[in-house]
Amino acid sequence: MPEARALPAASPTHAPGRTRGLLDTSVVLDIERIDPDQLPAEPAISAITLAELAAGPQASDDPDERARRQERLQRVEATFDPLPFGTNAARAYGRIYAAVAAAGRKARGRRAVDLLIAAVALAEGLPLYTRNPDDFAALEDIIEVVALDIDP
């Protein structure tokens, strides 16, 4: 198993003009492959992302993959104090859901988890950093979605 790079610490050189930001699960999964300069100086995650990562080891039958996922979960737990999905996020989810539905997009199923993360970003007034900006289409007028690239 290759040595994992440490998760990002706060740094004033990251993402000029953006001090805080919410990382969605896709960013956390690929964090070792993302240029730290693309990330906010103060990265945060939601409890929803932590839940997705906690499910990860259970979703694999391969013992090596399960161990890698468990290690990632433990690193994330040691690095971040997740933002909760509380009352304000629950209220914000209504706006998120309405925007997606108005655009004719499905807001249920697998997409619902992404939209719950977006609701946390909206409730906290944070830009949402993602590797999958299409998952958040139709939300550009409600939250700032920052698309990240993977280093070659």
Side-chain angles (χ1 to χ4, degrees), residues 40-151:
E42 297 175 38
I45 66 165
S46 74
I48 305 297
T49 290
L50 194 57
E52 285 190 287
L53 294 175
Q58 311 311 315
S60 177
D61 292 330
D62 179 282
D64 289 336
E65 180 61 21
R66 188 177 302 130
R68 279 189 288 279
R69 291 177 183 190
Q70 184 65 36
E71 179 186 358
R72 178 187 303 121
L73 171 62
Q74 290 170 332
R75 282 194 332 263
V76 170
E77 288 174 329
T79 303
F80 294 98
D81 183 18
L83 298 172
F85 187 88
T87 303
N88 289 338
R91 289 181 181 131
Y93 182 71
R95 288 183 61 199
I96 297 288
Y97 187 98
V100 170
R105 301 192 70 197
K106 185 177 175 185
R108 297 203 181 268
R110 186 194 70 78
R111 177 164 292 139
V113 174
D114 294 328
L115 299 180
L116 292 170
I117 293 170
V120 172
L122 177 59
E124 297 290 331
L126 296 174
L128 178 62
Y129 289 72
T130 184
R131 291 265 309 110
N132 303 313
D134 291 344
D135 290 347
F136 303 99
L139 300 179
E140 299 85 1
D141 292 338
I142 298 174
I143 62 171
E144 179 184 1
V145 177
V146 181
L148 299 180
D149 296 319
I150 289 181
D151 285 341

Side-chain angles (χ1 to χ4, degrees), residues 14-15 18 33-40 129 146-151:
H14 294 197
R18 296 187 178 106
R33 299 172 51 207
I34 297 172
D35 180 347
D37 290 338
Q38 294 186 73
L39 299 171
Y129 289 72
V146 181
L148 299 180
D149 296 319
I150 289 181
D151 285 341

